[in-house]
Each structure stands twice: as C-alpha cells, then as structure tokens.
Amino acid sequence: MRPLSIIGILLIIAGAVVLVLRGIHYTKDRDSVKVGPLEVSAEHRGFIPPVAGAIAVVLGIALVAVGQRRS
C-alpha cells in the first residue's frame, strides 16, 4: 500500500467516528492554581463538529483514489 492510501484510510476511519458520535467533545487544557487553602481550576473545552468528520471522509476517499491511481 502506498502512504497516501494509508493516510486516506485513517482519515476515513477518523471521520466516520466523528460522524457516528455526532461530534467529539474534548478538554484541551487544564490549569489549576492553589493559593493557601483554595484551589482554582479552569478547563478549556473544545468540540469537533460532524462537518469536520464529513470533510475528513471525503479527503480520505480522495487520497485513497489518488494512491490507487499511482500504483
């Protein structure tokens, strides 16, 4: 298999997972500060929308097609 085909298959799988789960929530960064007996923490949350999954699937299919054509 060509490297483009492998990357394309990975994009298809990842995009399908995002689409099936209807987006993915993730925690990007967690900050915490402790001052005496008090502790304050903050989380930065993100979301990968299903549209990004659909784009990943389309790009994956295109990469697999290009990888197969070069073989």
Side-chain angles (χ1 to χ4, degrees), residues 28-56:
K28 181 177 177 184
D29 194 13
R30 178 178 274 177
D31 298 327
S32 62
V33 176
K34 189 171 184 180
V35 179
L38 299 175
E39 184 174 349
V40 178
S41 63
E43 294 180 348
H44 302 281
R45 296 183 182 186
F47 179 71
I48 300 173
V51 173
I55 292 170

Side-chain angles (χ1 to χ4, degrees), residues 1-67:
M1 262 201 196
R2 308 228 38 157
L4 283 179
S5 295
I6 294 170
I7 293 170
I9 290 170
L10 292 175
L11 276 174
I12 292 169
I13 292 170
V17 168
V18 171
L19 286 173
V20 167
L21 295 176
R22 296 181 185 159
I24 297 177
H25 293 277
Y26 65 92
T27 302
K28 181 177 177 184
D29 194 13
R30 178 178 274 177
D31 298 327
S32 62
V33 176
K34 189 171 184 180
V35 179
L38 299 175
E39 184 174 349
V40 178
S41 63
E43 294 180 348
H44 302 281
R45 296 183 182 186
F47 179 71
I48 300 173
V51 173
I55 292 170
V57 169
V58 170
L59 288 176
I61 291 170
L63 286 176
V64 169
V66 169

